[in-house]
Amino acid sequence: NGLPAPLSSIHGTQPDMAIIDHIEILRGPAGLFGGSGEPGGAINMRLKQAPENFAARFDATYGSWNNRRAEIDFGGPLNDAGTIRGRFVGALGKSDHFVDHVDNQVGIAYGTVQADLTENTTATFSISHQKRDITPFNGLPTLADGTLLDIDRSTFTGMGWNDFNSTVTDYIAELEHRFDDGGHAKVSARYSDRSSDYLYGFAGSAATASGEVTQFNWIARQFEETSLALDAHISKPFELFGKENNVIVGVDYRNFDYTWRNLSGHTNQPGNTPVVLDLRNWDINAVPRPVIDFSTAPVTRNDLRQYGVYGQWRFKPLDNLTLIGGARLTWLDLETQTTDQSIDAEFTPYAGIIYDVTDRISAYASFTEI
């Protein structure tokens, strides 16, 4: 809903699509409204909203490798006047894999309530909670010279204790007022709490010509992250010299704070019992589960705080031509366990032009930074 949070597939924080209504993609830098970010583009996921009329849907699927999933989605007015509306979405999924012993489980619950405070003012509050439980697999080794092995694709090179768990909880609150001239003012906030805890082992050496592995590695990680995003903006259309204009001005704030603890080891360390594992007859109980104590693990910590003010002016000198200008000032502080960096009043420009060739086709060009 236009409110950023970090996204990391390695920690399982990507959202399940059951709660998403649609996705908007912006190609190129999104520095005007986003401040810092990736130059390749931005993806905005719009959450499902409470419907004005009651609706319900149930889906169930079953597929290859015992892939099972069920979704329920229902909502509608919560009072006779229809000024309060709600929606609930729930999903459970579990699947095996073409690789032995690998599985993937996900569960999500999402609820949203929307209330019309006045005819033109609406408040929305949404919560989503998601859990993942995965048996991970990190791929097959090769021969020492890089040659791929001719073995069954179902070959698993982990242990029975391979495990990955993640939890994501999101809270979003929005207050929007719509003006009679088509403009609006909106204040919104998003708080995310994410964590993951995983331990998995994998082949730690090249395979011999007979298909044996002489070292087994393991890695354990504990990840905790909180993020807060705030935005307040106003959008107003107006006429200037008889021509259509629109101005957006706003302020935003974000804070991303994460802590990451990491431990690793292997069977050839001093004091460990060496093992030889046969890729064609793999024993998932050959290596005991290591004792994990994250209190002794090195800590990686990032604390990012960003403030910004932004504005955009859209002007239509002709009915089929739109000129766009915008600018942003960004203040950013990044603290880690070893560094402290600051950026003060970073200027981000934006300029664009859109020409409507037909009612359905437009040509555009733009310049911006990030």
Side-chain angles (χ1 to χ4, degrees), residues 149-312:
L149 296 168
D150 183 16
I151 58 177
D152 197 303
R153 69 170 184 165
S154 64
T155 302
F156 177 69
T157 57
M159 287 293 129
W161 39 260
N162 276 30
D163 194 27
F164 172 98
N165 294 279
S166 73
T167 302
V168 177
T169 306
D170 269 14
Y171 308 86
I172 293 183
E174 300 166 294
L175 180 65
E176 182 175 17
H177 179 77
R178 298 168 297 279
F179 299 107
D180 293 337
D181 59 8
H184 72 273
K186 187 175 184 180
V187 178
S188 48
R190 174 186 182 182
Y191 178 77
S192 298
D193 188 356
R194 290 118 175 252
S195 65
S196 65
D197 190 334
Y198 45 102
L199 167 66
Y200 53 85
F202 49 95
S205 71
T208 65
S210 59
E212 293 180 335
V213 173
T214 58
Q215 178 173 302
F216 187 79
N217 292 3
W218 60 265
I219 187 167
R221 288 173 178 167
Q222 187 181 69
F223 175 79
E224 296 177 348
E225 176 189 86
T226 59
S227 64
L228 174 66
L230 307 172
D231 180 85
H233 69 267
I234 184 170
S235 173
K236 285 285 288 182
F238 64 96
E239 283 195 6
L240 183 64
F241 306 119
K243 300 297 183 180
E244 181 181 336
N245 291 257
N246 191 89
V247 168
I248 299 174
V249 293
V251 296
D252 58 21
Y253 168 82
R254 67 177 73 172
N255 175 220
F256 303 156
D257 189 351
Y258 78 77
T259 302
W260 185 1
R261 293 176 171 86
N262 186 82
L263 291 170
S264 61
H266 57 81
T267 54
N268 290 350
Q269 287 176 306
N272 289 346
T273 302
V275 297
V276 176
L277 294 162
D278 185 354
L279 288 167
R280 293 177 173 83
N281 189 25
W282 190 268
D283 182 2
I284 64 170
N285 300 307
V287 179
R289 179 188 179 97
V291 177
I292 304 300
D293 182 7
F294 282 114
S295 65
T296 65
V299 179
T300 300
R301 183 173 186 270
N302 271 15
D303 186 1
L304 172 70
R305 295 179 300 277
Q306 176 184 287
Y307 313 80
V309 294
Y310 58 85
Q312 184 194 75

Side-chain angles (χ1 to χ4, degrees), residues 1 19 46-51 73-78 84-89 109-115 122-128 170-174:
N1 287 14
I19 68 174
R46 180 65 177 171
L47 292 168
K48 290 180 176 178
Q49 301 295 292
D73 181 351
F74 64 90
L78 301 178
I84 303 176
R85 301 168 295 280
R87 186 169 186 171
F88 174 82
V89 179
Y110 166 75
T112 183
V113 175
Q114 195 170 66
T122 301
T124 305
F125 182 68
S126 307
I127 300 178
S128 66
D170 269 14
Y171 308 86
I172 293 183
E174 300 166 294

